[in-house]
Amino acid sequence: MPLSNPADDPFTKLAQNLGELEIVIGERARPAIAGVREGLRNALACRERGDMAGSIAAIRIAMERLANLGSTLDPEEGAMMRFIADRFTEALGAGQKGDAKSTVDVMRRKAGDTKDDDKKDW
């Protein structure tokens, strides 16, 4: 049984919103975005198995791919995305769920979602 409703999961929403980024950047973004989506799916699968270390590692890899894509378009944007990914990984690894949630909200906005996650059950 999954730990969360996929429709409410912030990582699922992030993966879905990456399509908007693909539209903006174009065809050349497709492979990188597919890699990010796969990484987020892997993170969710690890989390569902109770493998939090694996989940955090998969999220970090996915966010690095996204930051690399950002760097090809705008080096400053890529650096900011790397900072966000690092902050998220640190917060989640330290059990700072509030900070991790805030960082996910920033990632979602960067991916085109204008709403923050109002779920309190992180």
Side-chain angles (χ1 to χ4, degrees):
M1 168 184 266
L3 297 175
S4 63
N5 179 351
D8 293 331
D9 188 88
F11 298 111
T12 301
K13 288 180 182 179
L14 176 61
Q16 291 169 345
N17 290 333
L18 289 171
E20 293 178 32
L21 193 60
E22 189 175 334
I23 291 169
V24 171
I25 298 170
E27 185 69 31
R28 65 187 170 140
R30 185 165 285 156
I33 290 174
V36 172
R37 279 193 182 114
E38 182 60 32
L40 292 173
R41 281 190 213 104
N42 186 31
L44 291 168
C46 288
R47 185 184 68 187
E48 297 298 324
R49 291 190 309 267
D51 179 7
M52 290 309 291
S55 182
I56 292 169
I59 290 167
R60 177 154 183 87
I61 291 168
M63 293 302 105
E64 285 175 1
R65 286 180 176 156
L66 192 56
N68 288 338
L69 176 61
S71 291
T72 64
L73 303 170
D74 180 347
E76 288 182 22
E77 184 71 14
M80 175 58 74
M81 292 168 81
R82 276 189 182 68
F83 173 78
I84 291 168
D86 289 345
R87 181 63 198 123
F88 173 77
T89 303
E90 291 169 10
L92 199 56
Q96 299 168 340
K97 291 182 178 184
D99 287 347
K101 181 184 175 304
S102 296
T103 305
V104 167
D105 288 338
V106 171
M107 286 187 269
R108 288 175 55 195
R109 285 191 297 275
K110 289 282 187 187
D113 188 348
T114 59
K115 298 182 290 184
D116 288 342
D117 183 12
D118 59 357
K119 300 286 182 207
K120 306 287 188 234
D121 58 351
W122 265 61

